[in-house]
Amino acid sequence: DVKVTQSSRYLVKRTGEKVFLECVQDMDHENMFWYRQDPGLGLRLIYFSYDVKMKEKGDIPEGYSVSREKKERFSLILESASTNQTSMYLCASSRVGFRETQYFGPGTRLLVL
Amino acid sequence: AQKITQTQPGMFVQEKEAVTLDCTYDTSDPSYGLFWYKQPSSGEMIFLIYQGSYDQQNATEGRYSLNFQKARKSANLVISASQLGDSAMYFCAMRPRGNSNYQLIWGAGTKLIIKP
């Protein structure tokens, strides 16, 4: 079974702090994704990575950066957290291929005070 | 514009009844895939079923089936014999083949509550 893990289930941070969210997958997937989920808005893609050190911006990259130094690990960084970044963050991975599904981690609920 | 619409924000259904969750989509790409995911209150997104735009038959996976009507651009999820454990958020998503980054386009979701 595919396993995607995220470093924290719940996180509370203060405005202005630098926040790291880490995601690890164990199925050698090429693609990894970071989403943000807010009620009524569905999932919105923040960043996508298709290979080590490769990344593409999604729909809402402002205020975020990412790092992929190893194939299995994809980190989301909030350089200076703000209250409007309070949200649920979901990491996903998939194989390359049009029909391939994305496998998700359990999510991190981030509260920025 | 590429878009997924789920018109039912919430639904209450009696246990053991069948459920249909609506999903309509819009894309100009002739080749695309449609996905349904379930998200229980625990938060993890669980893949349920996939339908390709050129698949000859409607997809089925256990109690889940997809009522795919290409001309109407609809891909409704049908859950047969609902169970209490089916209570969750359900999301419809689409991937047009032309999306080079494998991005999924998501609907806003439907909250399904199964009543005992």
Side-chain angles (χ1 to χ4, degrees):
Chain A
D1 277 353
V2 175
K3 189 77 172 174
V4 180
T5 57
Q6 294 183 227
S7 50
S8 305
R9 291 300 301 272
Y10 300 94
L11 213 50
V12 180
K13 295 292 181 180
R14 297 214 171 268
T15 303
E17 280 192 73
K18 191 168 186 176
V19 182
F20 293 87
L21 302 182
E22 294 207 319
C23 174
V24 178
Q25 50 96 2
D26 66 357
M27 284 302 293
D28 202 35
H29 285 171
E30 293 83 0
N31 297 335
M32 296 190 75
F33 307 82
W34 274 107
Y35 290 96
R36 170 177 172 157
Q37 184 180 17
D38 300 288
L41 297 179
L43 274 70
R44 293 180 291 169
L45 183 66
I46 304 172
Y47 269 98
F48 158 69
S49 171
Y50 53 91
D51 202 349
V52 174
K53 297 190 187 297
M54 307 306 290
K55 62 186 179 185
E56 282 191 16
K57 293 180 180 178
D59 299 321
I60 52 165
E62 297 78 17
Y64 303 95
S65 62
V66 290
S67 171
R68 194 168 180 198
E69 297 296 320
K70 293 184 177 181
K71 190 175 185 179
E72 68 271 17
R73 190 180 296 269
F74 191 33
S75 301
L76 180 70
I77 303 149
L78 287 65
E79 296 289 344
S80 178
S82 63
T83 54
N84 62 14
Q85 292 178 310
T86 291
S87 188
M88 171 74 136
Y89 291 88
L90 290 166
C91 175
S93 72
S94 76
R95 294 189 190 90
V96 171
F98 169 64
R99 299 176 72 97
E100 296 295 333
T101 189
Q102 293 180 11
Y103 294 89
F104 284 81
T108 296
R109 294 186 188 274
L110 173 65
L111 173 62
V112 183
L113 301 173
Chain B
Q2 298 178 127
K3 190 178 178 181
I4 291 281
T5 302
Q6 295 181 253
T7 57
Q8 308 150 309
M11 284 184 72
F12 286 90
V13 172
Q14 201 69 39
E15 189 181 8
K16 299 181 184 175
E17 288 184 354
V19 181
T20 297
L21 304 179
D22 295 340
C23 173
T24 58
Y25 59 91
D26 190 16
T27 180
S28 57
D29 198 322
S31 182
Y32 49 88
L34 296 157
F35 300 78
W36 276 92
Y37 287 83
K38 171 184 178 182
Q39 188 180 39
S41 57
S42 58
E44 185 170 348
M45 202 69 84
I46 302 166
F47 167 70
L48 295 178
I49 195 166
Y50 170 83
Q51 178 80 48
S53 60
Y54 289 115
D55 290 348
Q56 293 298 313
Q57 294 189 341
N58 286 354
T60 60
E61 288 285 349
R63 293 188 299 113
Y64 304 108
S65 61
L66 216 148
N67 182 4
F68 180 46
Q69 299 188 43
K70 196 169 181 177
R72 292 187 174 186
K73 293 192 172 182
S74 76
N76 297 340
L77 177 71
V78 180
I79 307 173
S80 63
S82 58
Q83 302 170 357
L84 296 179
D86 294 331
S87 294
M89 284 289 291
Y90 288 81
F91 291 92
C92 179
M94 172 178 67
R95 178 186 291 136
R97 194 175 195 99
N99 277 14
S100 60
N101 64 4
Y102 300 99
Q103 181 174 350
L104 286 170
I105 299 160
W106 295 82
T110 295
K111 185 167 186 174
L112 175 65
I113 297 174
I114 306 298
K115 300 182 292 183

